[in-house]
Amino acid sequence: MQTQKSHNLNQYDLELDSSGGNPITWLSFAALFVVLCGLLYPLVTTLLGQALFPFQAKGSLLERNGQIVGSSLIGQSFSGAGFFVGRPSSAGKGYDPTSAGGSNLAVSNPALLERASATASDIAAREGVTVEQIPVDLIAASGGGLDPHISPAAAELQVVRVARARGLSVDAVKTLVQKHTAAPTFGVLGQARVNVLELNLELQR
Amino acid sequence: MEVFVSYLILFLLAWPLGLYMARVFAGGKTWLDPILNPLERGIYALLRVNPARGMTWRGYALALLWSNVPIAIIAYLIFVYQGVLPLNPDAIGGMSWDLALHTTASFITNTNQQHYSGQSQLSYLSQLAAIVTMQFVTPAVGLAAFAAVLRGITGGIRSSNVESHVAVPAANLGNYYVDVTRAITRVLLPLSIVVALLLTWQGVPSTFDGAKTATVLEPQTIEGKAITTQTIPVGPVAALVAIKQLGTNGGGWYGPNSAVPLENPTPLSNLIQLISILLIPVASIFMVGAFTKRPRFGVMVMGIMSLLSAVLAFAIIPAATQANAAFAGISASSANMEGVEQRFGPIASALWATWTTQTSNGSVNAMHDSLNPLAGMVALIGMWLNVTFGGDGVGFLNFFIYLIVAVFIAGLMVGRTPELFGRKIEAREMKLASLGLLISPLLILVPSALALAIPSVTANSNPSFHGLTQVVYEYSSAVANNGSGMAGLGTGGSVWWNVTCAVCLILARYVPIIAPLAIAGYIGAKKSAPQTAGTLRVDTPIFAGMTLSVILIVGALSYFPLAVMGPIAESLTIGKPLPQPVPLGQLNQRPPEPVRTVSEGK
């Protein structure tokens, strides 16, 4: 077998390596890729991201009078009559991002039925409707427990109660809901949704 | 509609990428050469590697194993000592030994099964230097092994003076370090930078600042305690999420992964991440035909995988979009939204659930524990088969093992020595293929049985049939190197779960990579017989049907009993009297129903 040196990667040296390199190669392989992929890559993308999209890069934070009041991407707990209420949350004591999580209750788990029944009767009493009128997203916990959105139907259900509590006309509240409703992206991606925190922020001026 | 759009965009992007990857691994010219050639020369010099020197299968396998060890050790040490290391703005403490062991095993095997919650248990240094590093290296290793196997089965790389049909002492599978480096510099890094920026644009955080504290709009009093603030963990999230998806990794920044709005803020970011799950796995299959110069073989592989992928997608959507049985009569009737985010909805979540389990990705945008039982089963089937595109590079390696078995069986049926591309498959290759084939059922069934026999270790969040599904899901996910989970299982602080999963993870990663490398090494060294009318051709529809049968029979028969005892039994018994008393508190008892047929869950 004759050896043939070439710098073209297509033509390999026929004296093949059967040992897979040596410890120096293995150690420098680790060091190299920790620096390149684990430190340089995130540094470059993060700095670029900050420069191009400063608002999003910081976490889409909403401020009022110089104070952070939340993130437009993270829901908050609401209970007062003058506020729209979001979905049930299994994140800590409700909408706690440090312990984000779903309920992880199986469809067959009696605990799910119990929780949903309690939520449904609360909502029915609060909004003065029958349980069959409650849109399912209002009794189903979201995946991360931080969902900032509800369905337009779920907002519609709460309009009358909020309008009454705030002394506003139903139409005025409906207009505000409209303003914070997003349609499915390009008409096909995802679902229509109402951002509860942004809507409540505007109500609570 | 969203499903068709997703598949269409996926294939339109994967096709050119696959042809580009074929050039990358063949050492051909690509448009990034002016920047990357000098960089790569520097890397080879630093590693003291001669890029022109090829490796035998042994050399390739040893390089693969040994080069992974120091990375794993560094990662383990970072996890344990993160509390005193820099880049820790939220002052997070070190991990326990068993959790660090599991996390290391999970990420070095491209699995990304998570028994921790990233936003509160990992420092930025851990997320980047440990997690992101492994999220780049492990898919690159998979792609490298994939390229090496493709070289092997076509006779290895031969110098111009060695004809392809003669036997050689050992097949040249290429240089491991060159393959890994090029996979990172030419495929993973450029794609990740683009995806990370797109995700930041959509709202995924990109900052080195620590968590933000917000004053909530309406303070709440819960259990007697006033809650007036909300802590919002941020960080260089977009960088991690990009490679998490592209590298079939799946391990997210936040605990509930891409269900968290900061990790996946909009339907558009969801589409970008969804496409990124399958982009490289599908491109790899487009690469097969071009790289081996056997386009018909590439079409055969693509045909089988696409068919399986489509069947799983069209099975999960009707299953997942049924109403949640627990909500019957207490809400307006509509698709199951438990564990599903409003901005995505049940269809986008169902598609994600099947794509993430067809590949070895394992990220989630909805909680799999709360999927309707039969939708959960489709996710399980994806992991059991593990060849519907599969992980970056390793999907084809799993397919290759089935292919060898199919060739062997077909050879026996027609009474000829089985051969692949004119090279004989003999006892040694078959033993290796059997090992690769049997290790997965062994590693799923035995630990599941053990865990179920010792109920104190399982810590289920759900009773009855679903409890079994949770345990089987956890081991299936570990063994398929998938990483998704039915997250209600109490795995976090459990030595049992951390240690048993770590063992499964490591065996199920390296055995199914080394076995195909060895087979390819042995086959590649053999002489190739000229193709005649009697040759068994592997690029015909009949042979494709043969391979598909092997995949389905092995996959279905090994795990069918589990599917029956878990999700199928759960689906059939929902709403029926359970073995244990049903708790009080139902608002609406279901009305007595006429006897339901078995097709209920379809």
Side-chain angles (χ1 to χ4, degrees), chain B residues 135 164 181 207 279 370 419 451 487:
Chain B
Q135 289 186 329
S164 74
T181 303
T207 174
L279 182 62
S370 303
E419 52 186 45

Side-chain angles (χ1 to χ4, degrees), chain B residues 474-496:
Chain B
E474 186 73 6
Y475 285 116
S476 300
S477 168
V479 169
N481 285 173
N482 182 276
S484 63
M486 290 196 157
L489 206 58
T491 50
S494 159
V495 176
W496 165 271

Side-chain angles (χ1 to χ4, degrees), chain A residues 12-28:
Chain A
Y12 282 62
D13 192 333
L14 272 181
E15 278 185 355
L16 300 178
D17 176 0
S18 291
S19 62
N22 55 57
I24 293 177
T25 302
W26 302 327
L27 286 173
S28 42

Side-chain angles (χ1 to χ4, degrees), chain A residues 140-153:
Chain A
S142 65
L146 307 174
D147 198 340
H149 299 116
I150 53 176
S151 64

Side-chain angles (χ1 to χ4, degrees), chain A residues 12-90:
Chain A
Y12 282 62
D13 192 333
L14 272 181
E15 278 185 355
L16 300 178
D17 176 0
S18 291
S19 62
N22 55 57
I24 293 177
T25 302
W26 302 327
L27 286 173
S28 42
F29 179 91
L32 171 77
F33 287 116
V34 168
V35 172
L36 181 68
C37 305
L39 297 173
L40 277 177
Y41 154 77
L43 186 69
V44 168
T45 45
T46 303
L47 292 180
L48 269 176
Q50 274 174 346
L52 292 171
F53 313 106
F55 172 75
Q56 294 96 313
K58 289 196 185 80
S60 308
L61 301 172
L62 302 171
E63 290 185 18
R64 176 172 283 181
N65 309 328
Q67 200 176 30
I68 299 172
V69 292
S71 162
S72 70
L73 296 175
I74 300 289
Q76 292 181 5
S77 298
F78 292 100
S79 52
F83 291 103
F84 283 85
V85 179
R87 302 180 57 186
S89 166
S90 306

